[in-house]
Amino acid sequence: MKYTKLTLIAIAVAGMLTACGSKDSSNEQAASPQQITPVVRVETVSAQDIDITTTYTSNIEPNATNNIVSQSAGRISNIYVEVGAKVSKGQLLAQMDDVNLAKSRLQYVNDSIELGRITELYKIGGVSQADYDLAVMSLNIQKKTYANLLENTKLRSPISGVVTARNYDKGDMYAMTQPIFVVEQIIPVKMLINVSESQFTEVHTGMEFDVTVDAYPNEVFKGKVNLIYPTINANTHTFPVEVIVDNKDQKLRPGMFARVTANFGTNHHVVVPDVSVVKQVGSGEHFIYVLQADNTVKYQLVEVGKRLGDKYEIISGLNEGDRVVTEGQARLKNGIEVKVKE
């Protein structure tokens, strides 16, 4: 049989392709080794009592605030305290011009003398009952007028506290536009927090809360529920609760930012190492690989509670005694068989 040159070339190329195909097939078989079983570490989880706590934020407020003013405009004769001064109830803070007070006192003395004279005449029938009653009424009115002027001339603090503002100086004309002093009671102090309506039946007067402030990061102050508002806010579904701290050392001051922590009892929940929790990308769901009896792993959806240092509280999805994967999750998938590293 005779072959042309072109035919011989075609036969040679076909042979080469066949040889290459056989070589690639053998290489592919060599590159497909037997699947390797993932190696993992596991830990047996247990349940423990976990405090049910909620932390609220608030600002510290004085227990009471008093604006010290005079009932009428006038010149300020003397200022006796400065901002920051600690004052006692009844302490003299400022003295207003006392001309009107002196006049009222003189009138009060004269009316007292006049009533004494009329009383003697009344006893012997020298004046009528009407004249006697008029003299008594006149003295009572003048007594109240004098007492009112005395209160508004010698300005005293109605509470024990701290002077937090002074808006006038000695010799100024008081114009009744703003208080002369502001006195705040800081023993005790109070905070107003908004508690969820789901805990409405759990809060009661006298209940103790922990209070912390940034100024004293390592100190916990004890607060108590002083007042519970009786209605629920329809928009936020919360109700206001007033918490007070006795503040005898006066460390807490109005305006401080405070964190108020309430303890509503305990739950008995499973606790797992934080490294065992896998967060589903793109969602808020959390999963844990749980080792089964046949050495396979189950991709278990769990509800995560609070963080406890290097552990998480698990509200649901796990049982006490479950063995969870703590190392080697990257190569796992649901139902795969694993080897446990001791």
Side-chain angles (χ1 to χ4, degrees), residues 259-278:
R259 296 173 184 85
V260 183
T261 302
N263 189 321
F264 295 105
T266 59
N267 279 326
H268 194 68
H269 283 160
V270 170
V271 175
V272 302
D274 56 1
V275 293
S276 66
V277 180
V278 179

Side-chain angles (χ1 to χ4, degrees), residues 43 271-277 307-313:
E43 182 175 318
V271 175
V272 302
D274 56 1
V275 293
S276 66
V277 180
R307 189 180 184 94
L308 307 166
D310 61 351
K311 297 181 182 295
Y312 275 115
E313 171 193 17

